[in-house]
Amino acid sequence: MSRELHTTGVERFFEKNDIIVSKTDPKGRITYANDVFLHIAGYTESECLGAPHSLIRHPDMPRCVFKLLWDTVQSGREIFAYVINRCKNGDHYWVYAHVTPSFDLSGGIRGYHSNRRVPDRAVLESFIIPLYKELCAEERSYQNRKQGLEASMAHMLGLLEKEGMGYDEFVMTLPRRLNEPQTAVPSVSPQPSVRTAA
């Protein structure tokens, strides 16, 4: 099922006061994308509307973090997360995303709304990029994608358990930790395990 996604390694940036906004239906199909989204991702509105939000998914984004994100919003809760997105031409850009479910009058989820801002660069380089590299390496060390996802999720949840907090709280403590090097985020390096191609 996996497909190779072309990437250039070139990072794009957007202005600090810009906000990337998109909305989706409950199945994650894009129903709205603002001009900032279209400009940085390199897509036209007609290319985005109706397309799955995974259109901008970057292969260096750990699947376990996306699963955590989707599990959270599908349960009716909001989530904050650092995300690397892929542009149409293979460039990439980092965002600090706030994703919330939107409800209809009966309380059912009628879609999702995501606002994305410029991320804290120091947090990215000190914590997020190294963490995501470890999680992706764990996922890719398995021939079986499901097992890779389970393994990286176990490590992510293990990290959160060790920290004694949920993902949102973990993410929000990272800027403060920049001034507390002794409390650096613990490694999630995988323990020795058997990789199978079940």
Side-chain angles (χ1 to χ4, degrees):
M1 177 176 172
S2 65
R3 61 190 174 96
E4 291 295 325
L5 294 175
H6 169 69
T7 56
T8 64
V10 175
E11 183 170 1
R12 291 190 186 187
F13 301 91
F14 56 106
E15 297 295 326
K16 190 170 185 177
N17 292 327
D18 284 345
I19 300 177
I20 298 173
V21 181
S22 61
K23 299 178 183 178
T24 73
D25 66 13
K27 293 187 179 297
R29 292 180 295 242
I30 300 172
T31 57
Y32 172 79
N34 73 348
D35 288 342
V36 182
F37 179 111
L38 299 174
H39 177 71
I40 194 165
Y43 286 98
T44 65
E45 184 178 48
S46 62
E47 288 174 318
C48 289
L49 297 183
H53 210 280
S54 58
L55 181 73
I56 57 169
R57 185 167 186 165
H58 194 284
D60 289 340
M61 184 67 197
R63 290 187 296 130
C64 68
V65 176
F66 265 127
K67 178 170 174 30
L68 189 64
L69 188 156
W70 276 106
D71 287 349
T72 301
V73 295
Q74 286 177 332
S75 71
R77 294 174 291 135
E78 65 179 354
I79 190 168
F80 292 84
Y82 288 86
V83 178
I84 181 173
N85 288 139
R86 179 181 167 277
C87 306
K88 182 178 179 179
N89 74 342
D91 292 351
H92 67 272
Y93 58 98
W94 282 95
V95 300
Y96 183 56
H98 177 211
V99 188
T100 59
S102 301
F103 301 96
D104 58 27
L105 293 177
S106 63
I109 294 177
R110 62 179 173 80
Y112 303 101
H113 183 131
S114 176
N115 287 340
R116 280 148 282 173
R117 301 174 189 276
V118 173
D120 184 320
R121 194 76 208 174
V123 168
L124 274 184
E125 294 180 356
S126 297
F127 301 119
I128 298 298
I129 292 175
L131 173 63
Y132 284 11
K133 281 184 178 176
E134 284 191 50
L135 293 171
C136 283
E138 175 72 357
E139 291 174 359
R140 292 167 183 156
S141 69
Y142 288 79
Q143 292 182 350
N144 182 287
R145 284 173 55 82
K146 182 179 178 183
Q147 291 179 338
L149 175 59
E150 290 171 348
S152 65
M153 180 60 82
H155 283 294
M156 185 72 204
L157 295 177
L159 183 154
L160 296 176
E161 183 177 356
K162 188 180 295 183
E163 293 288 313
M165 60 183 70
Y167 184 78
D168 269 3
E169 187 178 359
F170 167 73
V171 164
M172 291 187 180
T173 63
L174 295 180
R176 174 172 49 79
R177 294 179 185 214
L178 290 171
N179 298 319
E180 302 173 1
Q182 72 278 11
T183 59
V185 175
S187 171
V188 293
S189 296
Q191 299 299 312
S193 56
V194 178
R195 275 67 162 144
T196 66

